[in-house]
């Protein structure tokens, strides 16, 4: 089980955000996010949006730090990437 997180570089709602992803399954991603105390509302179809102030928590819990391009590559290679128009929030 490996989870990955990119650096907080994505602006929104007055904050910076990271993306938290799995390269194996959505189930492990949801379980990891739950352990971090993230709301299911933070799930954006194939990743969790993680606020910058929670980045260190994700890494301390075992998420591997990677670049943003690596996040996309991992999602594509795992078959878990969902194009933005096909993402079901919360699912």
């Amino acid at each position: 089980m490996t989870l990955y997180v990119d650096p907080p570089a994505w602006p929104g709602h007055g904050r910076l955000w990271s993306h938290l992803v799995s390269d194996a399954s959505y189930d492990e991603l949801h379980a990891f996010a739950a352990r971090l105390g993230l709301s299911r509302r933070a799930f954006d179809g194939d990743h969790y949006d993680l606020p910058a102030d929670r980045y260190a928590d994700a890494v301390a819990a075992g998420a591997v730090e990677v670049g943003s391009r690596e996040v996309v590559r991992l999602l594509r290679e795992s078959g878990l990437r969902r194009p933005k128009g096909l993402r079901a929030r919360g699912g």
Side-chain angles (χ1 to χ4, degrees):
M1 171 172 126
T2 304
L3 283 290
Y4 301 89
V5 63
D6 63 2
W10 306 96
H13 308 286
R15 310 166 85 165
L16 290 178
W17 299 82
S18 295
H19 300 108
L20 179 68
V21 304
S22 168
D23 67 349
S25 76
Y26 295 123
D27 288 339
E28 83 167 357
L29 177 58
H30 294 310
F32 188 88
R35 285 194 303 277
L36 288 177
L38 299 177
S39 168
R40 190 68 170 248
R41 292 180 305 145
F43 183 66
D44 191 15
D46 59 9
H47 67 276
Y48 274 83
D49 291 322
L50 181 74
D53 63 327
R54 299 300 313 276
Y55 182 82
D57 297 335
V59 173
V64 175
E65 299 172 274
V66 296
S68 298
R69 288 183 179 169
E70 184 71 0
V71 162
V72 174
R73 186 189 68 76
L74 289 162
L75 284 172
R76 283 186 181 144
E77 288 182 2
S78 68
L80 297 176
R81 179 71 171 152
R82 291 183 179 156
K84 192 163 186 118
L86 298 178
R87 294 182 194 165
R89 290 194 61 89

